[in-house]
Amino acid sequence: MAGLKHYKMALDPAIIRLGNMTTNRHKYFRWTPRTAGITFVYAVVVPSIVGYFAYTTDGLWDFRAKRRGDLLVER
């Protein structure tokens, strides 16, 4: 029973094509205005927005040792 090969199955050609496409994606990538814009948004704009909100709300809320009726805002 140990020598039987039960794991052999027919491979789906679409899954094989998808695997090949993801493996070789870097070979066919080109910088276009669309890809440059998307890269700029995700590399510069989104971290800037998150950093701005993190900086403006730094130390604004204190969640330690709060009881019922205490305020979260520490202004």
Side-chain angles (χ1 to χ4, degrees):
M1 291 255 265
L4 295 178
K5 308 227 180 199
H6 294 291
Y7 58 87
K8 287 194 174 188
M9 296 174 56
L11 297 176
D12 188 6
I15 295 176
I16 294 172
R17 279 195 309 266
L18 178 67
N20 290 334
M21 181 187 67
T22 54
T23 303
N24 298 319
R25 183 174 292 168
H26 66 281
K27 295 178 184 177
Y28 304 105
F29 178 78
R30 291 188 182 211
W31 285 107
T32 61
R34 181 176 185 267
T35 57
I38 291 171
T39 303
F40 180 76
V41 166
Y42 282 116
V44 176
V45 175
V46 172
S48 299
I49 292 171
V50 171
Y52 172 75
F53 283 118
Y55 182 74
T56 56
T57 60
D58 185 34
L60 186 61
W61 295 293
D62 185 22
F63 293 108
R64 298 183 118 205
K66 292 296 178 184
R67 296 185 180 168
R68 187 180 310 164
D70 290 344
L71 296 177
L72 292 177
V73 178
E74 294 289 328
R75 287 188 182 192

